Amino acid sequence: QSEGSNDKEQNKYHKMTLMLDWYPNAVHSYLYVAKEKGYFEEEGLDVEFQFPANPTDPLSLAAAGKVTMGMYYQPDVIQAVANEGIPVKAVAAVVRSPLNHIVFRADQPIGNPLELEGKKIGYPGIPLNETIIKTIVENSGGSYEKVDMVNVEFELGSSLVSKKVDAVVGAYVNHEVPQLKSEGHDVGYINPVDYGVPSYYELVAVTSEKTWEKEQKEIEAFWRAARKGFDFMEKNSEEALQILLNQQDEANFPLNKDVEMESINILLPKMKSELGFATQEKSSWEETANWLKDNGLIEEVPNIDELIVNILP
Amino acid sequence: MDKQHDYALQFKDVSFYYNPPQSILDKLSFHINKGEFVSIVGASGTGKSTIFRLLVGLEQPTEGSIFLNGDRETNRLGKVGYMPQKDLLIPWRRVAENVALPLEGKNRDYNKQFVLNRLKDFGLEDVANKYPHELSGGMRQRVSFLRATLTGSNLLLLDEPFSSLDAMTKLYMQEWLLEQWNETKSSIVFITHDISEALFLSDKIFVISDTPIQMIEEIEVPLKRPRNRQQLDEPSLINLKNELINRFKMKVT
Amino acid sequence: MDKQHDYALQFKDVSFYYNPPQSILDKLSFHINKGEFVSIVGASGTGKSTIFRLLVGLEQPTEGSIFLNGDRETNRLGKVGYMPQKDLLIPWRRVAENVALPLEGKNRDYNKQFVLNRLKDFGLEDVANKYPHELSGGMRQRVSFLRATLTGSNLLLLDEPFSSLDAMTKLYMQEWLLEQWNETKSSIVFITHDISEALFLSDKIFVISDTPIQMIEEIEVPLKRPRNRQQLDEPSLINLKNELINRFKMKVT
Amino acid sequence: MKRYMYSVLLLSVMLITWEVMARLVDVSFILPSPMQISIKLWELKDVLLQHHLPATFAVISLGLAISLVLGIAIAIAMHYSKVLEQALYPLLITSQTIPIIALAPIFVLWFGYTIWSKVAVTILITFFPITIGMFDGLRSTDKELKELLQTFGLTRSQIFLKLEVPSALPSFFSGLKVAVPMSVIGAAIGEWLGAQSGLGYFSRRMMTQFDGAGVFAPIVILSFVGIVLFIVVLIIEKYFLKWRKK
Amino acid sequence: MKRYMYSVLLLSVMLITWEVMARLVDVSFILPSPMQISIKLWELKDVLLQHHLPATFAVISLGLAISLVLGIAIAIAMHYSKVLEQALYPLLITSQTIPIIALAPIFVLWFGYTIWSKVAVTILITFFPITIGMFDGLRSTDKELKELLQTFGLTRSQIFLKLEVPSALPSFFSGLKVAVPMSVIGAAIGEWLGAQSGLGYFSRRMMTQFDGAGVFAPIVILSFVGIVLFIVVLIIEKYFLKWRKK
Ligand SMILES: Nc1ncnc2c1ncn2[C@@H]1O[C@H](COP(=O)(O)OP(=O)(O)OP(=O)(O)O)[C@@H](O)[C@H]1O
Ligand SMILES: Nc1ncnc2c1ncn2[C@@H]1O[C@H](COP(=O)(O)OP(=O)(O)OP(=O)(O)O)[C@@H](O)[C@H]1O
Ligand SMILES: [Mg+2]
Ligand SMILES: [Mg+2]
C-alpha cells in the first residue's frame, strides 16, 4: 500500500534533469538551495542534477533531448547554433561575465599576454579558448602563431602543476585558482576581458527547441524556483554554501569550504542583475556573436531572437 | 513395399554418383543372407565405404533400390547397426551413455537397466561409468560394437573397425568379434584391407576390383566353424590368401 | 676409450631408471654384429624404446657403458641413425631439406648434389621439392629412412616404423627396407609388435619379457636370404611364429 | 601452491620497487605508492563498494547478458543458415579489425547518461568473441560423429542438443574468457564517457582532483572484479568440461 | 568473389537503411548519414591524411614495434628459463583479466601530451597477445621432433632457429592478428586522453564541435588503417606459412 502511495507522490512531480557545466561547486549553490529548501517541489518539479563526463555534453545532451537543460557557455552556444545548426535555445544567463581566466604558475609569472609567446598552453579541447588566447595575444601586439596550444581535456590543474604546460586557459578564477592555491600551488591569472575579449556570459542554460515547446511551463517554473534559491544564496551565502557542502558525499566532488567561500564571493557580483537573476540581454549575445564572427569562429551571426528566450521574474 | 526373398539386405540395380558424371556404383546388385558374415575387400577408393553410407541411409541411391530384411526401405536411418572405422565415441559421455545413444534416438526414456545388462554381457560393466579417453583402444572398439548392436537391427556394418589397433590387440578383438557374432546371431558385413583377417572371420569374401562397381565377385571361405588361427596355415588357405594378396598388391607410391 | 670386440653396438652392464626406485634396465648386456638385422619384440611398456633412447644419446645410462663400433661413447648424439615410429618430418621443409637435416648438424654448407643423388637412389627424386603433407604414408616413411641413413652411421635404429601403415603398404615397405639394407650394408635394429614382420625381416629376434630388463633372449631366424613371403608359410616357421605369438598374447583389457 | 611461488615473489618485488620509487619521487598525484592506494581504498571502501561497484557491476552483467543472448542466437542462426553465415561471418570478422570502440562517444548522445550508454559499449566490445566462439564451436562438431548419430535415427534437434551444443562448449568458453575481461574494460570506458557513478567514473573524476591514490583505488577494485568474473567462468567451464580432466 | 556476395549485399542494405534513417531523423550531430560522412571525408581529406593520419600512424608503428621487440624477447627468455616462465607467465595471464586500459589516463601524467603517452597505451594493449602468442608458439614445438634433431647432432641454437622459431610462427601470427586491431584502438584511446593531433583526437574534437560527420570521418580512416594493417599481417603470414597451403 505504502508503495502505491509513493508512486502517486512521485507522479505528482514533473521530472526534470539539469546537466551542470561541471561537478557541483559554489556556482551551483542556488540550485542546491532551491532543491534543499523545497522551492522546486513547490513548483511541482522533481529535479535531478547530472555532471558531464565530456565538456560538451551539457549542450549536446540538451540538444539531443537526453537532459531537460544544460549549463553551457554563451560563445559556445552561439558557435554550435551558427555552425552546426544545433537546435537549442538559451533560457537563462547565470554568470554574466567570463570566469575563464588564463592561469599560470607563480614561479613563472606572466605579466602580459605577450609573454605567452613560445609557451605551452593547456586547454580543454574547446576552440573558443584558442580564440581567447588569440584575441589577448594579438591585442597586446603579439603573434598567436607562436603560442603552443595543447588539448588537455579536463586535466587543467594537474597538467599545470605537473609542469606539462606553462599556463592553462579554460580554468576558472573562482574555482581552479583558489583550489590550486589551497593545495599550496602558487598561481597567478590574467582576466581576458582586460585584453579585448568581450564580457560574455560565462554560464547560460540551454534546452532543445523541442523540449522548450513541450516543457515551457515547467522550465519557467524551474527558474522561478532558482531565483528564490539565488535570493537565499545572496543573503545567506554561508548557509547556502553549507547546503551545497552537505549535498556532497564522498562519492561526489569533495569541496574545500574555504575555496568555495572565496568562490562565492567572486561569483555573486557576476551573477547579480538589475533586471533579475537569470534574465538575458540581447545586446550581450550580439556583442559576443560579433566577436566570434570577427575571429572566424562563425560565419553568420544567428538570429538572436530565435536563439534566446528571456524568462522574466 | 515389395516383399523380396528373405535376405538380410539386398542391393537391386543400385547406381550412385557423388559428383554426377563420375559414377561410383553402376547398376550394382548383390545380397547377404541372414546370419552370414561377409567381408568386403578391395583397393582404396573403390567405393566400399560408399556402399555402407548408402546402406545406413546417409546417402540415397541415384537409381535402384535397397532392401532390408526383404522390405524396400527408403528411410534407413536408425535401422541398421553401423560401427565406423574410428570408434567415434562422444568424449563427454560416459561409456553407458555412449552405448545408449541409439536408444535415445527412438525413445528418450529407455531402460537403463537394459543397457547395464548389455554392458555386462560384453564384459564392460567395470567401465560403464568411465569416459572414453580412459579406455584402451580395444575397449573403445567393444563399446562401439555394443552400441551398434543396440540399434536393434540384426544387420551390422563394420567399416575397417580394427585397422588402427596394434597387431596383438587386433588378434584378440577378432576372436572376441566371432564370439559376439555367434551369440547375437546377426548378419555382419565387414570391410577390411587385411586378407588374413577376412579369411579368418568370414563365410564369404566380396572382392571389389574397379570403380564404378558393376559387380562383386564372391568367394566362399573353405573353413568350418568354430575356427582357430592355425587353420589359416593350411596349404589350401595359404594358396587362397596368396592369390588374393597378389590380386590386391596395389601400386603403393 | 676401451677397444672392445668389433661389434656394431654393445651394451655392457647397463642400468637405467627414469624415476629412481623403478628400474627399467638392470645390468643389461648384449651386442649386435656389424651388418646384422635384429628385431626386438616384447610387450608394451617393457623398455624397448628406452633402449633406443639410450643408444641415440637422448638418455645416459645410470650405470654401465655403451659401445659403438667397439668404442665407448658418452656423447652419442649425431652418431647413430634413428628413425622414429612416427615419420616426424618437419612440415615446412621440402623433402630434400628434411633429408638434409643430419648434414646440417655437422656442416652448414653440405653438398646439395649429394642429397639429390641419395634421393634418386631411394626413388624419391620426383618428390624432392614437395612438402611432407603432399606425400603418402609410405613415401614419408622412405624419406624418414633415407634421412636416418644420412647421419653417416652404419647403425640404424627403427622404432616400430611401419606400425601406422595399412596392411598392404606395410608389405611393400618391408620388401623395400630389405632391399635398402642389402645395398647400404648397415646394421639395423628394428622394434616391432608384429611377429610375422620380425620373422620375415631379421637375422635374429631379441625377445624381451619383463621389466626391469636383465637379459635378452636371442632367437635365430632359420631362413636364408634372399627370402620371399611364402617361406613364412613353411611348417617350421609357422611353429616358431605360433610359439612366439603365444608367448606374447598379452592380456588385452 | 609451490608453482606460483616465483610469481608471488616477482609481484612482491614489483610492489616494493613501486613503493620505494613512489616515496623517492614523492608526487603522489602522479605516482601514488601502493601503500597510499591501500589506505585510500580502505578510506573509500564504503562508497566504492556500496555505491560505485554496484553501478559498474550492473553495467557489466547487463552487457554480458545481452551479448550472450544475442551472440548465441546469432551463432545458432548462422550455423543453420548458410546464407546468414555467408552474409554475417565476414562482417563479424572484419568488424574486429576496425576500432569499433571509437564509436563509443556516440552512444552517449543516443542514450544520455543512462546505464544504456555504458551497456552499449560493453555489448560492442563483448559481442564479437562470444558470437565467434559459439559459432566456431558449433562448426567444430565432428562431422563423422554427426553422421553416426543420424544413422542411429536421432532427430536434428536431438543431435543439436546432444552433440553440437556440447561440442561448441570449449570454443564458447574460450570466447567467454576473452569477453569477460573485455566487459570490465567496456564498462570502464563507457563510464569515462558519461556517467554519474561507477568505478570508471570515480577514477576519472579523482584525476580532476589531483588525487592519484583515488585514481588507482577504483582500478584495483575493477581489476578484482575482472579476476573474480574470470574465475567464475573458469569454474563454470570446469563444471561443464569436467570429462576432460584426468 | 561470389562467396562474399551476401556480405556485400547485407552491408549495402545496412548502409542504405542507415542513410534513410539518418535522413528521417535529421539531426546530423547525433546521426550523420553515410553520405554526409563521405562528403566530410572528401572535404577533410587533406588535413586528415596529411596531418592526423601520420600522427596516429607513428603511434601505431612505434607501439607495435616496441611491443614486438619486448614481447618476443620476453617470450624467448621465458622459453629458456623455467624460473622466468614460472614468475612471469601467471602474471601475464592475470594481467589480461584486469582492465589494465583503465591505467591509460595515468600515462598522460607521466609522459605529458607527447607521443609517448599514446605509445604507452598502445604497448599496454598489444604487448600481451604478442608475448603469449610467441611463447605458446615456442612451447608448442613438437618434443619428439626436437629430440630427433638432437639425435642428428644439431646444436641448441640450430634447433632454435630451424625448429622452434618456425614452430612458433602460427601462434605468433595469431597473436599478432589480435594485436594489430588492438594497436589502432590503443592509439585512438591514447589520443582521446590528451593529444594535439591524430585521428582519435580529431574525432573527439569534432564531437565538441557538434559535427557528427566530422566525428565519423576519422573513424572511417582509422578502420581503414586497421583493415590494411591486418591484411599486411595476413600477407606476411601467408608468406611464412606458405607450406601449409595446398
Ligand atoms: N562425400 C564425398 N563427395 C565426393 N566424393 C566422395 C565422397 N566420399 C567419397 N568420395 C569418392 O568416392 C570414391 C569412393 O570412396 P570410398 O570412401 O567409398 O572408398 P573406399 O573403398 O571406402 O576407400 P578406402 O579403402 O580408402 O576407405 C573415392 O574416389 C572418393 O574420393
Ligand atoms: N620420459 C619418461 N619418464 C618416465 N618414465 C618413462 C618415460 N618414458 C617411458 N617411461 C616408462 O618406462 C617404461 C618403458 O617405456 P618404453 O617407452 O621404453 O616402453 P616400450 O617397450 O617402448 O613400450 P611400447 O611398446 O608401448 O612402445 C614404461 O613403463 C614407461 O611408462
Ligand atoms: Mg573406406
Ligand atoms: Mg616404444
Side-chain angles (χ1 to χ4, degrees):
Chain A
Q1 267 200 343
S2 66
E3 268 180 28
S5 65
N6 247 348
D7 272 356
K8 269 186 196 154
E9 285 286 290
Q10 279 174 353
N11 287 344
K12 229 168 64 186
Y13 296 103
H14 182 85
K15 264 194 165 300
M16 242 183 179
T17 40
L18 173 70
M19 181 167 278
L20 306 183
D21 53 298
W22 179 238
Y23 300 117
N25 61 77
V27 79
H28 307 119
S29 305
Y30 70 99
L31 292 170
Y32 282 90
V33 167
K35 188 165 188 177
E36 176 77 14
K37 297 274 174 197
Y39 303 155
F40 287 134
E41 274 178 45
E42 286 167 22
E43 299 285 353
L45 301 176
D46 172 19
V47 179
E48 186 202 344
F49 303 132
Q50 289 189 351
F51 328 123
N54 234 325
T56 54
D57 281 355
L59 180 66
S60 54
L61 294 187
K66 296 295 159 190
V67 294
T68 317
M69 280 179 284
M71 295 298 207
Y72 214 56
Y73 318 93
Q74 186 191 46
D76 301 85
V77 173
I78 295 171
Q79 285 178 73
V81 172
N83 296 339
E84 302 294 335
I86 305 300
V88 291
K89 272 188 170 351
V91 294
V94 178
V95 178
R96 316 183 77 86
S97 64
L99 296 170
N100 187 348
H101 285 35
I102 293 87
V103 181
F104 46 83
R105 288 189 302 276
D107 60 343
Q108 277 181 298
I110 296 168
N112 183 293
L114 208 47
E115 291 172 32
L116 292 173
E117 288 188 343
K119 298 252 160 67
K120 263 198 189 132
I121 303 183
Y123 74 110
I126 299 175
L128 175 76
N129 291 294
E130 296 170 295
T131 304
I132 292 176
I133 297 295
K134 186 165 183 273
T135 303
I136 65 170
V137 170
E138 285 175 359
N139 270 326
S140 313
S143 162
Y144 175 64
E145 305 285 279
K146 294 183 184 156
V147 182
D148 188 5
M149 299 294 288
V150 181
N151 180 359
V152 302
E153 297 294 348
F154 267 6
E155 332 306 346
L156 287 172
S158 54
S159 61
L160 183 66
V161 298
S162 61
K163 305 197 178 173
K164 298 294 182 229
V165 294
D166 303 303
V168 292
V169 61
Y172 280 6
V173 65
N174 67 314
H175 182 71
E176 274 85 353
V177 171
Q179 168 99 32
L180 288 168
K181 280 184 175 162
S182 84
E183 287 178 8
H185 305 284
D186 208 3
V187 294
Y189 55 83
I190 296 172
N191 184 347
V193 177
D194 298 343
Y195 297 92
V197 172
S199 180
Y200 58 80
Y201 291 163
E202 184 62 65
L203 266 190
V204 298
V206 295
T207 187
S208 79
E209 284 167 2
K210 277 201 189 114
T211 309
W212 176 251
E213 275 168 32
K214 269 199 313 217
E215 302 182 50
Q216 179 178 351
K217 263 208 258 97
E218 287 82 6
I219 291 172
E220 284 168 353
F222 177 93
W223 288 104
R224 275 197 299 278
R227 276 192 188 106
K228 276 191 186 170
F230 181 75
D231 290 343
F232 183 90
M233 169 183 168
E234 210 182 344
K235 288 183 196 107
N236 318 287
S237 46
E238 292 232 14
E239 195 186 337
L241 179 61
Q242 197 51 52
I243 287 171
L244 174 74
L245 293 178
N246 290 344
Q247 278 294 322
Q248 65 158 341
D249 50 51
E250 279 167 295
N252 279 324
F253 193 71
L255 296 173
N256 177 317
K257 192 169 179 181
D258 298 335
V259 170
E260 297 309 311
M261 201 57 233
E262 198 181 333
S263 175
I264 287 195
N265 293 335
I266 297 169
L267 283 168
L268 278 176
K270 290 175 181 271
M271 294 170 84
K272 250 166 84 170
S273 164
E274 324 247 284
L275 303 167
F277 172 69
T279 53
Q280 309 203 65
E281 285 164 275
K282 194 179 171 190
S283 58
S284 161
W285 287 89
E286 278 165 351
E287 193 190 343
T288 307
N290 286 327
W291 172 61
L292 295 174
K293 192 179 170 204
D294 294 345
N295 281 283
L297 283 175
I298 57 174
E299 280 172 13
E300 288 296 330
V301 172
N303 183 341
I304 305 292
D305 290 322
E306 270 180 24
L307 174 57
I308 65 172
V309 281
N310 194 8
I311 300 173
L312 294 168
Chain B
M1 290 192 245
D2 323 316
K3 194 77 185 173
Q4 291 272 335
H5 312 274
D6 203 20
Y7 300 138
L9 80 89
Q10 188 185 9
F11 265 44
K12 208 170 166 189
D13 296 328
V14 172
S15 297
F16 181 75
Y17 314 79
Y18 283 112
N19 307 312
Q22 207 219 331
S23 168
I24 310 282
L25 308 187
D26 183 12
K27 291 199 181 301
L28 177 68
S29 298
F30 70 90
H31 68 264
I32 283 164
N33 296 319
K34 290 204 167 155
E36 221 170 20
F37 196 127
V38 172
S39 290
I40 302 183
V41 299
S44 214
T46 39
K48 301 184 296 297
S49 298
T50 304
I51 292 177
F52 275 19
R53 292 179 63 82
L54 281 160
L55 270 172
V56 295
L58 288 172
E59 310 282 356
Q60 290 296 347
T62 322
E63 263 180 71
S65 341
I66 295 174
F67 298 81
L68 296 179
N69 294 313
D71 296 325
R72 181 174 170 171
E73 292 276 7
T74 48
N75 178 11
R76 296 176 297 282
L77 286 170
K79 291 181 183 149
V80 180
Y82 175 46
M83 178 181 171
Q85 173 164 3
K86 292 200 251 163
D87 44 57
L88 290 182
L89 301 177
I90 298 187
W92 55 86
R93 289 186 155 225
R94 294 166 195 282
V95 165
E97 295 160 346
N98 258 294
V99 162
L101 276 167
L103 302 176
E104 292 179 24
K106 303 200 166 61
N107 181 349
R108 55 187 61 221
D109 304 314
Y110 59 90
N111 186 333
K112 293 224 164 77
Q113 193 52 49
F114 170 72
V115 171
L116 285 177
N117 290 339
R118 300 294 286 138
L119 280 166
K120 209 172 227 157
D121 296 343
F122 277 62
L124 292 166
E125 68 270 34
D126 292 338
V127 296
N129 283 316
K130 294 212 163 158
Y131 287 106
H133 66 94
E134 300 173 284
L135 269 52
S136 70
M139 283 277 203
R140 279 203 295 268
Q141 298 277 6
R142 271 146 72 185
V143 173
S144 175
F145 183 82
L146 167 55
R147 183 177 59 182
T149 66
L150 288 192
T151 45
S153 169
N154 61 353
L155 175 61
L156 286 179
L157 310 181
L158 317 180
D159 193 351
E160 306 188 34
F162 303 150
S163 66
S164 52
L165 295 182
D166 72 67
M168 301 287 177
T169 314
K170 194 166 171 174
L171 297 184
Y172 174 88
M173 287 298 296
Q174 288 168 357
E175 274 159 33
W176 181 87
L177 174 60
L178 282 185
E179 257 170 53
Q180 296 305 324
W181 174 61
N182 246 338
E183 280 174 29
T184 56
K185 307 273 180 238
S186 44
S187 323
I188 291 183
V189 190
F190 187 98
I191 297 180
T192 181
H193 275 114
D194 182 341
I195 308 281
S196 308
E197 184 169 74
L199 285 169
F200 179 64
L201 294 173
S202 14
D203 300 317
K204 282 186 195 150
I205 297 180
F206 281 14
V207 179
I208 293 179
S209 335
D210 272 313
T211 321
I213 310 176
Q214 292 176 302
M215 60 152 292
I216 286 179
E217 185 183 352
E218 303 188 10
I219 293 172
E220 295 267 349
V221 178
L223 284 177
K224 296 251 152 21
R225 298 186 189 265
R227 301 175 180 176
N228 74 49
R229 215 165 284 277
Q230 270 73 35
Q231 292 174 284
L232 290 182
D233 302 326
E234 289 164 13
S236 67
L237 265 125
I238 289 179
N239 283 343
L240 180 51
K241 180 173 138 193
N242 287 332
E243 189 191 314
L244 283 165
I245 287 182
N246 285 331
R247 184 151 1 157
F248 289 106
K249 237 184 209 170
M250 301 156 292
K251 264 203 299 236
V252 180
T253 46
Chain C
M1 292 192 244
D2 323 317
K3 193 75 184 174
Q4 291 271 338
H5 312 274
D6 204 20
Y7 300 139
L9 80 88
Q10 190 186 7
F11 265 43
K12 209 171 165 188
D13 296 329
V14 172
S15 296
F16 180 76
Y17 314 79
Y18 282 112
N19 306 313
Q22 207 220 332
S23 169
I24 311 281
L25 307 187
D26 182 12
K27 290 199 183 301
L28 178 68
S29 298
F30 70 89
H31 68 263
I32 282 163
N33 296 317
K34 290 205 166 153
E36 225 169 18
F37 195 127
V38 172
S39 290
I40 302 183
V41 299
S44 214
T46 39
K48 303 183 294 298
S49 297
T50 305
I51 293 176
F52 275 18
R53 292 179 63 82
L54 281 160
L55 270 171
V56 295
L58 288 173
E59 310 282 355
Q60 289 298 345
T62 321
E63 263 181 72
S65 340
I66 296 174
F67 297 81
L68 296 180
N69 294 313
D71 295 327
R72 181 175 172 171
E73 292 277 6
T74 48
N75 179 11
R76 296 176 297 283
L77 287 171
K79 289 181 185 148
V80 181
Y82 174 48
M83 179 181 168
Q85 174 166 2
K86 293 200 252 162
D87 45 57
L88 291 182
L89 302 177
I90 297 187
W92 56 87
R93 288 187 157 225
R94 294 166 196 280
V95 164
E97 294 161 347
N98 259 294
V99 161
L101 276 167
L103 303 175
E104 291 179 24
K106 303 199 165 64
N107 181 347
R108 59 186 59 221
D109 304 316
Y110 62 88
N111 186 334
K112 294 224 164 76
Q113 193 51 50
F114 169 72
V115 172
L116 286 178
N117 289 340
R118 300 294 286 138
L119 282 166
K120 208 170 229 157
D121 295 345
F122 277 62
L124 292 166
E125 68 270 32
D126 292 339
V127 297
N129 283 316
K130 293 210 165 160
Y131 288 106
H133 66 93
E134 298 173 284
L135 270 51
S136 70
M139 281 277 204
R140 279 203 295 268
Q141 298 277 8
R142 272 146 70 185
V143 173
S144 175
F145 183 82
L146 167 55
R147 183 176 59 180
T149 66
L150 287 193
T151 45
S153 169
N154 61 351
L155 175 62
L156 285 178
L157 310 182
L158 316 182
D159 193 350
E160 306 188 35
F162 302 149
S163 67
S164 53
L165 295 183
D166 73 67
M168 301 287 177
T169 315
K170 195 166 171 174
L171 298 183
Y172 175 87
M173 286 299 295
Q174 288 167 356
E175 274 159 33
W176 181 86
L177 174 60
L178 281 185
E179 254 170 54
Q180 296 305 324
W181 174 60
N182 247 339
E183 280 174 28
T184 56
K185 307 276 181 232
S186 43
S187 322
I188 290 183
V189 191
F190 187 100
I191 297 180
T192 181
H193 275 114
D194 183 340
I195 308 281
S196 308
E197 183 169 74
L199 286 168
F200 180 62
L201 293 174
S202 14
D203 299 317
K204 282 185 195 154
I205 296 180
F206 281 15
V207 180
I208 293 178
S209 334
D210 273 315
T211 321
I213 310 175
Q214 293 176 302
M215 60 151 291
I216 285 180
E217 185 183 351
E218 303 190 10
I219 293 172
E220 295 268 348
V221 178
L223 285 178
K224 296 252 153 18
R225 296 188 189 266
R227 300 173 181 177
N228 72 52
R229 216 165 284 275
Q230 271 71 36
Q231 292 174 285
L232 290 183
D233 303 325
E234 288 163 15
S236 66
L237 264 125
I238 287 176
N239 283 342
L240 179 53
K241 180 176 138 191
N242 287 333
E243 189 189 315
L244 282 166
I245 287 181
N246 285 331
R247 183 150 3 155
F248 290 105
K249 237 184 207 171
M250 303 155 292
K251 267 202 298 238
V252 179
T253 47
Chain D
M1 310 259 215
K2 212 177 141 225
R3 48 192 276 242
Y4 293 121
M5 191 183 68
Y6 287 109
S7 293
V8 173
L9 216 77
L10 179 65
L11 198 64
S12 315
V13 169
M14 279 161 56
L15 282 176
I16 291 168
T17 315
W18 178 3
E19 181 77 38
V20 170
M21 290 251 307
R23 290 185 187 213
L24 287 178
V25 178
D26 193 28
V27 254
S28 72
F29 77 91
I30 289 182
L31 187 69
S33 80
M35 200 67 88
Q36 288 170 318
I37 296 172
S38 313
I39 293 170
K40 181 65 79 175
L41 207 50
W42 182 253
E43 284 171 13
L44 293 177
K45 64 179 186 306
D46 290 339
V47 60
L48 285 180
L49 292 181
Q50 284 163 28
H51 184 66
H52 295 292
L53 177 60
T56 303
F57 199 74
V59 171
I60 293 174
S61 343
L62 254 172
L64 270 181
I66 295 176
S67 272
L68 277 169
V69 170
L70 225 69
I72 292 176
I74 289 182
I76 293 175
M78 288 199 302
H79 182 61
Y80 277 117
S81 156
K82 199 82 200 145
V83 169
L84 259 184
E85 180 197 334
Q86 287 193 354
L88 277 176
Y89 197 72
L91 293 186
L92 280 174
I93 295 286
T94 311
S95 79
Q96 233 18 39
T97 67
I98 67 175
I100 207 165
I101 195 75
L103 289 177
I106 290 283
F107 291 144
V108 177
L109 287 182
W110 291 351
F111 299 109
Y113 279 23
T114 63
I115 192 172
W116 297 110
S117 65
K118 287 134 255 170
V119 170
V121 178
T122 309
I123 294 173
L124 198 67
I125 205 171
T126 57
F127 171 72
F128 176 84
I130 290 175
T131 312
I132 296 293
M134 185 72 193
F135 177 69
D136 284 352
L138 286 173
R139 201 162 54 167
S140 76
T141 307
D142 186 328
K143 197 177 150 267
E144 292 174 295
L145 256 178
K146 192 170 159 183
E147 285 185 347
L148 185 68
L149 295 198
Q150 287 180 321
T151 73
F152 291 156
L154 270 68
T155 61
R156 205 164 157 152
S157 67
Q158 281 179 319
I159 291 177
F160 180 70
L161 290 175
K162 289 171 200 279
L163 179 66
E164 297 183 298
V165 169
S167 295
L169 286 181
S171 161
F172 169 73
F173 278 112
S174 300
L176 194 55
K177 281 188 283 185
V178 173
V180 156
M182 290 278 201
S183 71
V184 179
I185 294 174
I189 293 180
E191 286 173 359
W192 290 352
L193 295 170
Q196 297 163 86
S197 57
L199 295 165
Y201 157 85
F202 188 85
S203 171
R204 190 105 200 279
R205 181 145 182 201
M206 286 303 109
M207 199 92 188
T208 66
Q209 296 294 297
F210 321 123
D211 180 352
V215 171
F216 274 95
I219 295 179
V220 171
I221 299 182
L222 273 178
S223 305
F224 201 71
V225 170
I227 292 174
V228 168
L229 280 178
F230 195 82
I231 291 174
V232 168
V233 173
L234 280 185
I235 290 171
I236 299 176
E237 181 187 29
K238 205 160 184 172
Y239 172 78
F240 276 109
L241 304 182
K242 62 169 180 284
W243 57 271
R244 287 205 300 198
K245 69 155 187 271
K246 168 71 211 133
Chain E
M1 308 261 213
K2 214 178 141 223
R3 48 194 276 240
Y4 293 122
M5 190 183 68
Y6 288 109
S7 293
V8 172
L9 216 74
L10 179 64
L11 197 65
S12 315
V13 169
M14 280 161 56
L15 282 175
I16 291 167
T17 315
W18 179 3
E19 181 77 37
V20 170
M21 291 251 304
R23 289 186 188 212
L24 286 179
V25 179
D26 193 26
V27 256
S28 73
F29 82 98
I30 291 181
L31 186 70
S33 80
M35 199 65 90
Q36 288 169 319
I37 297 170
S38 313
I39 292 168
K40 183 63 81 175
L41 206 51
W42 182 252
E43 284 171 14
L44 293 176
K45 65 180 187 304
D46 290 340
V47 61
L48 286 178
L49 292 180
Q50 284 163 30
H51 183 66
H52 296 291
L53 176 60
T56 303
F57 199 74
V59 171
I60 293 173
S61 344
L62 255 171
L64 270 180
I66 295 175
S67 272
L68 276 169
V69 170
L70 226 68
I72 292 176
I74 289 181
I76 293 175
M78 288 199 302
H79 182 60
Y80 277 117
S81 156
K82 200 81 200 148
V83 169
L84 259 185
E85 181 197 333
Q86 287 193 353
L88 276 176
Y89 197 71
L91 293 187
L92 280 174
I93 295 287
T94 311
S95 80
Q96 233 18 39
T97 68
I98 67 175
I100 207 165
I101 195 76
L103 289 176
I106 290 285
F107 292 142
V108 178
L109 287 182
W110 292 351
F111 299 108
Y113 306 97
T114 63
I115 190 171
W116 297 109
S117 64
K118 287 135 254 168
V119 170
V121 178
T122 309
I123 294 174
L124 198 67
I125 206 171
T126 56
F127 171 72
F128 175 85
I130 290 175
T131 312
I132 296 294
M134 185 71 193
F135 177 69
D136 284 351
L138 286 173
R139 201 161 54 166
S140 76
T141 307
D142 186 328
K143 195 176 151 268
E144 293 175 295
L145 254 179
K146 193 171 159 183
E147 285 185 346
L148 185 70
L149 294 200
Q150 286 179 321
T151 73
F152 291 157
L154 269 68
T155 62
R156 204 163 157 154
S157 67
Q158 281 180 318
I159 291 177
F160 180 70
L161 290 174
K162 287 172 201 281
L163 179 65
E164 297 183 298
V165 168
S167 295
L169 286 182
S171 161
F172 168 74
F173 278 112
S174 300
L176 194 56
K177 280 188 282 185
V178 173
V180 155
M182 290 278 201
S183 70
V184 179
I185 294 174
I189 292 180
E191 286 174 359
W192 288 353
L193 295 169
Q196 299 161 78
S197 58
L199 295 166
Y201 157 85
F202 189 83
S203 171
R204 197 98 201 280
R205 174 153 181 183
M206 286 302 109
M207 196 95 185
T208 70
Q209 301 283 69
F210 309 101
D211 179 350
V215 171
F216 276 93
I219 296 178
V220 171
I221 298 181
L222 273 177
S223 306
F224 201 70
V225 171
I227 292 174
V228 167
L229 280 178
F230 195 83
I231 291 174
V232 168
V233 173
L234 279 184
I235 290 171
I236 299 175
E237 181 186 31
K238 204 160 186 175
Y239 172 78
F240 275 109
L241 305 182
K242 61 169 179 286
W243 57 270
R244 287 205 300 199
K245 68 154 188 272
K246 170 68 210 131

